[in-house]
Amino acid sequence: MFIYKQFQVCKKCRGTPIQNFYISSDMRNNYICHRLSFGIVFSFGILLFGNYAYWKIPLRYGSPSKHLSHAKLKVSCPEVQFSVTHRPLTALASFPGSGNTWARHLIEQSIGIATGSIYCSDTIKKDFIGECSVSSNVAVIKTHVAWANTVRMRYKKSVLLIRNPYDAIIAEFNRVFANKTTSATEQQFAEKFEPFALKKIDKWKKCYNSWMKFSGQKYIFIYEEMKKDPVSQIGKLLDFLNISKQIRTFPCMQQNIAGRYRRHHSYINFNPKMFYTKILKVKLNAAIEQIEKHYGELNYSINNEMMNEKQ
């Protein structure tokens, strides 16, 4: 009601500039009061809307408030595309089961550039447009082949992805006897794991011994460190790949860290590592010690998680 009256008084103030100059002091005071009232009401409205917006409207970028912590924030991410510039052929080399596909996913989500592969999986091709591609328009090229010089010599750079072999061999066993995202049964481990692991230990050692001799630029990429802090570790990898910081899209990677191809373990009442017999442990520990010699030559720290398995 007060505000309405002030508007009524204000009508008397309307006129030419000269007429307004001669308004009485009472009218002038009413006119000023009207202006002040309007300013107070306007400011109060802005304050109310601002609080509503802060607490109720989802944030597109930046850190959410504590009341929005339950909300799933969405970042608009560009589609993954092939690189428009030629890049040096770079191998993403690893023993199977070491997280190569997951690393490709994180790279693609963080830069929007496709990753390639010497393999051609119809299943993976649905999500990785660079599957089957070994050209210079991809960021890295997936390979598990390391001991053939004719294959290794084509690369200018190499990223050597290493995972705890106790876990990598189990992951590869799951892939062979189950699939890429589920796990083998306890009976399968009991019947088939030991002979399978004996062969894979030799291949694990041969793979990394071979790639350590690569003469081009190489980067040691530890799976356990990537898992612990993917943003920091992928950032360091992108530095090695000479990827401009201007095109990096870490929020896109953060909202889709897992991807579709990380295995969801479903072990029931058993730990698959229990199937590492004493013979397997002795052989695998010897292989680990041999690979650790290369860490010293390259000035990389020894992976503590690998060492813990030897106790």
Side-chain angles (χ1 to χ4, degrees):
M1 189 68 179
F2 170 76
I3 298 172
Y4 174 76
K5 287 182 178 180
Q6 297 299 331
F7 274 100
Q8 293 297 312
V9 171
C10 187
K11 289 181 179 179
K12 299 177 183 180
C13 304
R14 294 173 182 169
T16 67
I18 296 176
Q19 290 173 329
N20 288 337
F21 180 80
Y22 290 101
I23 60 176
S24 68
S25 61
D26 291 338
M27 290 179 66
R28 185 180 294 109
N29 290 337
N30 287 333
Y31 181 78
I32 294 171
C33 289
H34 157 64
R35 293 292 183 180
L36 290 174
S37 299
F38 180 79
I40 292 171
V41 171
F42 181 78
S43 299
F44 186 67
I46 290 294
L47 183 62
L48 284 176
F49 178 78
N51 276 281
Y52 176 84
Y54 180 79
W55 297 111
K56 299 296 183 180
I57 298 177
L59 302 176
R60 186 178 179 84
Y61 298 104
S63 300
S65 70
K66 61 182 179 180
H67 295 278
L68 291 174
S69 60
H70 64 281
K72 188 174 181 180
L73 305 179
K74 286 289 185 180
V75 178
S76 179
C77 301
E79 290 186 8
V80 174
Q81 302 289 342
F82 288 102
S83 175
V84 295
T85 59
H86 292 290
R87 305 195 53 78
L89 291 182
T90 303
L92 178 61
S94 68
F95 176 80
S98 298
N100 201 307
T101 302
W102 186 42
R104 290 176 64 191
H105 167 76
L106 294 180
I107 292 170
E108 291 193 357
Q109 292 297 306
S110 63
I111 60 176
I113 297 176
T115 59
S117 174
I118 69 168
Y119 309 103
C120 201
S121 168
D122 290 334
T123 301
I124 294 180
K125 196 172 182 179
K126 297 175 183 177
D127 298 291
F128 292 87
I129 63 171
E131 184 74 1
C132 315
S133 176
V134 292
S135 64
S136 61
N137 60 357
V138 294
V140 293
I141 300 171
K142 172 181 177 177
T143 179
H144 299 314
V145 179
W147 46 87
N149 287 334
T150 53
V151 173
R152 195 172 63 230
M153 290 296 290
R154 69 190 301 176
Y155 301 107
K156 302 299 181 183
K157 293 182 174 183
S158 67
V159 176
L160 185 54
L161 176 59
I162 303 179
R163 184 183 186 182
N164 181 339
Y166 281 89
D167 294 325
I169 292 173
I170 288 174
E172 176 62 357
F173 183 83
N174 284 323
R175 185 191 68 81
V176 172
F177 292 99
N179 59 49
K180 201 167 183 64
T181 58
T182 59
S183 304
T185 64
E186 183 176 5
Q187 183 177 354
Q188 288 174 314
F189 272 96
E191 295 175 353
K192 302 175 181 179
F193 184 73
E194 186 171 11
F196 177 89
L198 281 171
K199 295 178 181 178
K200 295 301 179 180
I201 290 172
D202 287 333
K203 290 186 176 182
W204 183 86
K205 180 175 66 175
K206 191 174 182 180
C207 171
Y208 292 111
N209 272 332
S210 178
W211 275 105
M212 287 295 183
K213 298 174 184 177
F214 176 66
S215 59
Q217 296 182 56
K218 48 183 170 280
Y219 183 85
I220 308 301
F221 196 36
I222 304 299
Y223 172 88
E224 287 75 20
E225 294 178 2
M226 175 177 66
K227 182 179 179 181
K228 183 179 180 181
D229 188 0
V231 173
S232 173
Q233 295 303 314
I234 292 294
K236 293 177 182 178
L237 173 59
L238 298 182
D239 290 340
F240 171 75
L241 298 174
N242 293 323
I243 301 292
S244 171
K245 292 184 179 181
Q246 295 180 347
I247 69 168
R248 299 182 188 184
T249 55
F250 286 125
C252 294
M253 184 186 76
Q254 289 175 297
Q255 78 174 9
N256 189 15
I257 286 284
R260 294 182 57 189
Y261 295 97
R262 288 192 69 188
R263 180 169 285 104
H264 302 287
H265 294 296
S266 56
Y267 304 122
I268 301 176
N269 299 325
F270 81 99
N271 182 346
K273 289 185 180 179
M274 65 185 284
F275 294 101
Y276 277 104
T277 62
K278 184 176 181 179
I279 294 174
L280 291 176
K281 288 180 180 179
V282 169
K283 187 170 183 177
L284 185 50
N285 290 342
I288 291 173
E289 289 176 0
Q290 187 176 105
I291 296 302
E292 286 171 351
K293 295 177 182 178
H294 296 297
Y295 276 89
E297 294 173 5
L298 295 169
N299 297 318
Y300 285 98
S301 60
I302 295 176
N303 189 307
N304 291 327
E305 192 166 344
M306 287 184 182
M307 295 297 293
N308 291 338
E309 295 296 344
K310 295 160 58 178
Q311 299 175 357

